[in-house]
């Protein structure tokens, strides 16, 4: 493992005499990849190599660890220069990731592992202190993992931070501060920051609902809206009927009351109909919302001074990817953010514009190549069309020549010797057979015509019968409705008479009472 940034280191140390670098890898040396030891838990882990990638901004800072094999697990661990216990110190892990393959599904995060790790036994179940970095699978399952281990439990940050999924290099920074606050940055821009206990469920809540509180008896928690008691239905409001007989409809002249029943005009929508009237809604003046108990201090809450303390001895790759090509580089673990900033500027930020230009040049060249291939295919198709057209013209010319030759043959006089035997072929029996077949064909054609005419007559009669039946059914239904309406009207009249009689009796009682 080599430190290729002596000047940067000196500048950082000048600002912080106690700053230390625990791991720094730019993969500028061919041997640097040897520090990442493969796990022996499984024998099918993907292979890794050092690569600059297809495009980069600076060849000096382009090298990185690249995943080589598709659809594989990767499990590699590298030892820190010295173990790092972050008690009383800031903790910064920073690295760059380039999804050069145009990622579809794969992780690109690092695990920071305890000094007790045995690299040959490293796998997904191994204990870790921090897991940080992007993870992408499809268009919806995307996030930057920021998992911290507290009391032997892995805790994911509650906020979802979106990773960068393009094909350029991006820098990821996780800065855990000694005062138990943090920052997560992507490309030097803060994505989230605050107190650790506010973003990770590692400590009990400082305050909890008062278990002794009771909802007041006069508390109104619904409904939020009520009908306005002052609202009145407008006098011109028409709430029925929804339909009316069409006043412009006329009884058809061919309507037969005996056959078709009593004629009724079709109904149309009532132009004055406004629907059922309802009072407008207003806010309920008594509504206070959902009741919740007031908060009180949580007796189980205890602030932990070691909340942001981590003990790290290894950095590891424990990931799965569908399509290989991801490049990791510029991996740094330090306790000095100023040094991390200088390191990131030198290895990544200063080379961003160059990488973008290099990628654009490759994209333009690829687009140009595809356009040339497209034009070549179109030219090939046009050439094939021309060949087919020439061949068709050639065949048409041959057909014309054959037709001319055939016409010449037909115009030649027939010699007597060529006619010998013709008369013998057209015998009297043949002529009789031809006449017989022609008569049978005429007879069959006549029978077919007669059958078609009969089918048409039957279909027409059936249609007329169905139309009459439909009219009778409609008339019957209308009559039944009219009968039912009359029955209902009679019943309503009877009830009205009974109500009137009852009212008259009541009046008589009152009158008798008044007389008394």
């Amino acid at each position: 493992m080599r430190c290729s940034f002596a000047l940067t280191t000196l500048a950082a140390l000048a600002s912080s005499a106690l700053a230390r670098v625990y791991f720094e890898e730019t993969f500028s040396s061919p041997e640097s990849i040897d520090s990442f030891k493969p796990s022996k838990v499984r024998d099918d882990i993907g292979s890794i190599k050092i690569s600059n990638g297809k495009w980069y901004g600076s060849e000096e800072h382009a090298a990185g660890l690249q995943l080589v094999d598709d659809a594989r697990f990767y499990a590699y661990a590298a030892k820190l220069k010295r173990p790092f216990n972050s008690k009383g110190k800031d903790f910064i892990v920073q690295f760059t990731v380039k999804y050069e393959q145009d990622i579809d599904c794969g992780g690109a995060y690092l695990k920071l592992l305890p000094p007790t790790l045995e690299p040959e036994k490293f796998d997904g179940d191994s204990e870790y202190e921090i897991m940080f970095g992007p993870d992408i699978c499809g268009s919806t399952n995307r996030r930057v993992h920021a998992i911290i281990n507290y009391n032997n439990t892995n805790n994911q940050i509650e906020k979802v931070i979106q990773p960068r999924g393009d094909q350029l290099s991006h820098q990821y920074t996780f800065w855990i501060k000694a005062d138990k606050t943090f920052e997560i940055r992507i490309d030097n821009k803060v994505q989230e920051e605050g107190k650790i206990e506010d973003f990770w469920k590692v400590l009990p809540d400082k305050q909890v609902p008062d278990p002794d509180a009771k909802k007041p008896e006069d508390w109104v928690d619904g409904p939020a809206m009520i009908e306005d008691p002052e609202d009145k239905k407008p006098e011109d409001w028409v709430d029925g009927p929804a339909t009316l007989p069409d006043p412009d409809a006329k009884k058809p002249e061919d309507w037969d009351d005996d056959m078709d029943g009593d004629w009724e005009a079709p109904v149309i929508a009532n132009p004055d109909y406004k629907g059922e009237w309802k009072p407008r809604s207003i806010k309920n003046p008594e509504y206070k919302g959902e009741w919740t108990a007031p908060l009180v201090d949580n007796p189980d809450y205890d602030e932990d001074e070691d909340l942001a303390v981590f003990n790290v001895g290894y950095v590891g790759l424990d990931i799965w990817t569908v399509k290989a090509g991801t490049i990791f580089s510029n991996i740094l673990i330090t306790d000095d953010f100023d040094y991390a900033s200088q390191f990131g500027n030198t290895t990544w930020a200063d080379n961003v514009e160059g990488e973008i230009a290099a990628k654009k040049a490759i994209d333009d060249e690829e687009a140009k190549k595809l356009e040339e291939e497209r034009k070549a295919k179109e030219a090939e198709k046009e050439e094939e069309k021309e060949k087919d057209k020439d061949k068709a013209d050639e065949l048409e010319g041959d057909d014309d020549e054959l037709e001319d030759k055939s016409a010449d043959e037909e115009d030649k006089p027939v010699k007597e010797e060529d006619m010998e035997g013709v008369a013998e072929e057209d015998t009297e029996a043949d002529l009789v057979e031809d006449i017989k077949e022609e008569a049978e064909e005429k007879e069959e054609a006549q029978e077919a015509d007669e059958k078609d005419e009969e089918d048409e007559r039957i279909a027409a009669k059936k249609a007329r019968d169905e139309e009459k039946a439909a009219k009778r059914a409609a008339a019957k239904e209308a009559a039944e409705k009219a009968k039912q309406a009359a029955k209902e009207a009679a019943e309503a009249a009877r009830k009205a008479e009974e109500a009137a009689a009852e009212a008259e009796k009541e009046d008589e009682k009152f009158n008798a009472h008044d007389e008394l």
Side-chain angles (χ1 to χ4, degrees):
M1 196 179 305
R2 293 169 48 178
C3 176
S4 59
F5 300 93
L7 294 176
T8 304
T9 304
L10 290 173
L13 290 176
S15 64
S16 179
L18 298 178
R20 302 192 74 171
V21 174
Y22 298 87
F23 189 90
E24 181 178 307
E25 187 56 80
T26 63
F27 300 98
S28 57
S29 167
E31 297 81 19
S32 59
I33 199 170
D34 297 335
S35 62
F36 282 81
K37 307 297 183 182
S39 170
K40 296 181 180 179
V41 173
R42 54 191 303 161
D43 56 8
D44 62 343
I45 64 172
S47 56
I48 57 177
K49 69 177 182 179
I50 290 181
S51 172
N52 288 352
K54 298 176 183 178
W55 51 84
Y56 44 82
S58 167
E59 187 171 5
E60 179 184 358
H61 303 296
L65 181 156
Q66 186 173 43
L67 309 183
V68 175
D69 300 315
D70 293 340
R72 292 291 184 89
F73 286 100
Y74 291 80
Y76 291 84
K79 192 174 183 178
L80 272 60
K81 291 191 293 186
R82 61 183 66 83
F84 181 17
N85 185 287
S86 65
K87 187 175 181 64
K89 301 176 182 178
D90 285 4
F91 186 116
I92 300 97
V93 55
Q94 179 175 281
F95 61 100
T96 59
V97 171
K98 178 163 66 170
Y99 284 122
E100 190 172 81
Q101 74 277 39
D102 193 11
I103 188 68
D104 51 1
C105 187
Y109 42 83
L110 299 180
K111 285 185 175 181
L112 305 186
L113 309 154
T116 55
L117 176 78
E118 296 180 57
E120 66 275 7
K121 297 180 181 180
F122 176 45
D123 64 7
D125 295 327
S126 298
E127 178 185 350
Y128 61 86
E129 295 286 282
I130 294 174
M131 178 174 135
F132 174 63
D135 193 8
I136 294 175
C137 197
S139 59
T140 55
N141 191 6
R142 307 159 67 95
R143 73 175 302 158
V144 175
H145 291 296
I147 302 175
I148 61 176
N149 184 292
Y150 180 72
N151 288 341
N152 296 320
T153 301
N154 296 327
N155 301 274
Q156 175 77 275
I157 188 172
E158 293 186 331
K159 295 288 185 70
V160 176
I161 302 173
Q162 290 297 322
R164 306 298 180 261
D166 56 44
Q167 294 174 275
L168 297 172
S169 298
H170 293 281
Q171 180 175 273
Y172 291 82
T173 306
F174 192 7
W175 179 11
I176 301 174
K177 304 176 186 180
D179 63 359
K180 294 178 288 186
T181 62
F182 78 100
E183 287 185 19
I184 292 177
R185 300 187 178 203
I186 301 178
D187 297 344
N188 284 336
K189 296 179 180 179
V190 175
Q191 306 298 306
E192 290 292 349
E193 61 180 335
K195 293 182 178 180
I196 290 176
E197 62 183 285
D198 293 338
F199 286 77
W200 285 265
K201 282 290 184 182
V202 290
L203 296 177
D205 294 330
K206 284 185 177 181
Q207 291 189 314
V208 295
D210 185 355
D212 298 325
K214 304 294 183 182
K215 184 172 76 169
E217 293 183 0
D218 61 347
W219 187 277
V220 178
D221 53 9
M225 303 294 291
I226 60 173
E227 293 183 349
D228 185 358
E230 305 295 330
D231 194 17
K232 304 297 181 183
K233 183 171 75 170
E235 294 182 359
D236 61 347
W237 186 277
V238 178
D239 52 10
T243 59
L244 296 172
D246 185 357
D248 297 326
K250 302 296 182 183
K251 179 178 178 181
E253 293 181 359
D254 61 348
W255 186 273
D256 187 337
D257 290 340
D258 293 334
M259 294 293 296
D260 304 328
D262 294 335
W263 180 84
E264 293 181 357
V267 296
I268 59 172
N270 184 352
D272 297 322
Y273 177 68
K274 297 182 179 181
E276 181 184 358
W277 181 85
K278 292 182 180 180
R280 64 173 172 267
S281 294
I282 60 172
K283 291 182 178 179
N284 184 353
E286 306 295 329
Y287 177 68
K288 297 182 180 181
E290 182 181 358
W291 181 84
T292 56
L295 297 178
V296 296
D297 290 338
N298 185 359
D300 296 329
Y301 175 79
D302 186 17
E303 188 172 355
D304 189 351
E305 294 299 325
D306 292 334
L307 177 60
V309 175
F310 303 97
N311 195 26
V312 179
Y314 289 84
V315 57
L317 291 175
D318 173 36
I319 54 179
W320 158 267
T321 190
V322 173
K323 193 184 335 180
T326 305
I327 298 176
F328 298 80
S329 192
N330 307 316
I331 303 173
L332 176 69
I333 298 175
T334 181
D335 58 13
D336 182 19
F337 185 73
D338 290 337
Y339 180 83
S341 296
Q342 291 290 335
F343 179 83
N345 290 338
T346 303
T347 58
W348 173 78
D350 293 348
N351 307 305
V352 170
E353 292 185 3
E355 183 178 357
I356 293 173
K359 175 69 166 59
K360 185 177 184 304
I362 290 177
D363 290 344
D364 291 345
E365 184 64 28
E366 183 67 21
K368 180 180 178 182
K369 182 180 178 181
L370 291 174
E371 180 64 15
E372 290 175 350
E373 290 177 355
R374 184 188 65 79
K375 289 182 178 179
K377 287 181 180 180
E378 287 185 355
E380 185 177 346
K381 288 181 180 179
E382 289 297 326
E383 185 177 351
E384 288 295 329
K385 286 182 181 179
E386 289 296 327
K387 288 181 179 179
D388 292 342
K389 183 179 178 183
D390 293 343
K391 189 173 182 180
D393 292 342
E394 182 179 347
L395 291 174
E396 186 176 351
D398 292 343
D399 290 342
D400 292 342
E401 184 178 346
L402 288 173
E403 288 178 3
D404 293 342
K405 186 175 181 181
S406 177
D408 292 342
E409 290 293 335
E410 290 177 358
D411 292 341
K412 288 181 180 181
V414 180
K415 297 180 180 180
E416 292 182 2
E417 56 269 23
D418 293 334
M419 293 297 295
E420 290 180 1
V422 172
E424 295 176 1
E425 295 176 2
D426 293 333
T427 62
E428 183 178 351
D430 292 335
L431 292 175
V432 171
E433 185 65 27
D434 290 343
I435 293 171
K436 183 178 179 181
E437 289 179 359
E438 183 177 354
E440 289 176 352
E441 290 175 357
K442 288 182 179 179
E443 185 178 355
E444 290 175 357
Q446 184 175 358
E447 290 177 354
D449 292 340
E450 291 175 354
K451 187 177 183 303
D452 291 341
E453 291 177 359
E454 181 63 21
D455 290 343
E456 289 178 1
R457 284 195 297 273
I458 293 172
K461 184 177 183 302
K462 183 179 180 181
R464 288 194 299 272
D465 292 342
E466 289 177 350
E467 183 179 0
K468 287 181 179 180
K471 287 182 178 180
R472 291 192 191 98
K476 184 178 180 181
E477 183 180 358
E480 290 293 336
K481 287 182 178 179
K483 188 185 293 184
Q484 181 64 25
K487 183 178 180 181
E488 291 175 355
E491 180 66 17
R494 184 184 65 77
K495 289 182 179 180
E497 289 176 359
E498 291 178 354
E502 188 66 27
E504 187 175 350
K505 288 180 181 180
E506 291 294 327
D507 290 341
E508 290 176 356
K509 288 181 181 179
F510 284 124
N511 292 334
H513 182 272
D514 290 341
E515 290 175 0
L516 292 175

